[in-house]
Amino acid sequence: MAKRDYYEILGVQKTAAKDEIKKGYRKLAVQYHPDKNPGNKASEEKFKEATEAYEVLADDQKRQIYDQYGHAGLEGMGAGGPGGFDPSAFQGFEDIFGDFSGVFENLFGGGGSGSRRRSGGHGGPSQGASLRYDLQISFHDSIFGTKAEVQYSRNESCTTCRGSGASGGAGRKMCPTCQGAGQVRHSSGFFSIASPCPTCHGEGTTIENPCRECGGSGVQKKRQKILVTIPAGVEDGKRINIPRQGDAGASGGPYGDLFVFIRVKPHASYERSGADLYCAVPISITQAALGAEITITALDEKQLKLKVPAGTQNGKLLRIREEGVPMANGKKGDLYIKIIVQVPVKLSSKARALLEEVSRLEGENTSPVPISLAELRS
């Protein structure tokens, strides 16, 4: 089921200030808080939905990504987007939640940068976090495709303990603080709030003899270099999913994915609209009046012949079929050329005399009737 718009969830406009966003969330948080609606799954889902919306819109960076790319821009980044779930965004709601932001971690299954998706809260293997990489490419490469090398840091399974976090094959034992529950509960006035256990961090177990190489985490931060294939016709903002190139999972679990977001540099002469390309070409007044055959240099340096009909007006769009953007069905869009008729600034005496003769023969209209702007745009 598609996610609802975050602004719609909080009942605010897209231009809303932070105070309006906070006010909208406060109203929903009081209404749907799980401790005020025990056992009500519908209320719990509404609370989670509102909390996720606020956590994104209260953060300037995440809000900017969401406004530009929607939910897709935040996918694979952990709870709420880049940087993972941030409890600090909820400062100022102590009258609702007390001092225990762990209620959110309990609802959303953990948080924080690089947080792992736990497997039952007892230290079992779980998939690693997915990562995001923004790749800028040229306009030319976006049309014809390319291969690009990307370098980034990721968590890889520790080679010494093979991702277990334990040294010499040592096992795990039940956490003495939470007795294996993975969470502890705190009372704060009306509410009783569960938060991840501070000793085992929600695992429910602890490692008796941590691996010295990775400090018991089971992962090591390493630089990764891979070659990414950019398909022909890729658009700005497109996301390419590369499986198993994200962070290593906990306890030897599978790797997450790498999401490469494409950023296309603007071209000096060409623009794109869907599968079609557009450019502007200057011609002389004689070429426009008499007609001509001109040569256009395409993006791939191919020389294209274009016939300009006699009497072509300034701003006229001419088309060259299937010289646009490659499409998935094997076809290509079209190339549209906007004709710009250039009027000479300086004339030789002979050129002036010839134009004066043309003016005399054609008969200049010294009282032109205004033309509607709508007619010019058609």
Side-chain angles (χ1 to χ4, degrees), residues 259-276:
F259 296 108
V260 178
F261 282 80
I262 302 299
R263 302 286 176 262
V264 180
K265 297 179 186 177
H267 194 275
S269 304
Y270 284 86
E271 294 182 1
R272 174 179 178 174
S273 178
D276 296 326

Side-chain angles (χ1 to χ4, degrees), residues 273-285:
S273 178
D276 296 326
L277 291 176
Y278 290 80
C279 70
V281 172
I283 64 173
S284 68
I285 56 174

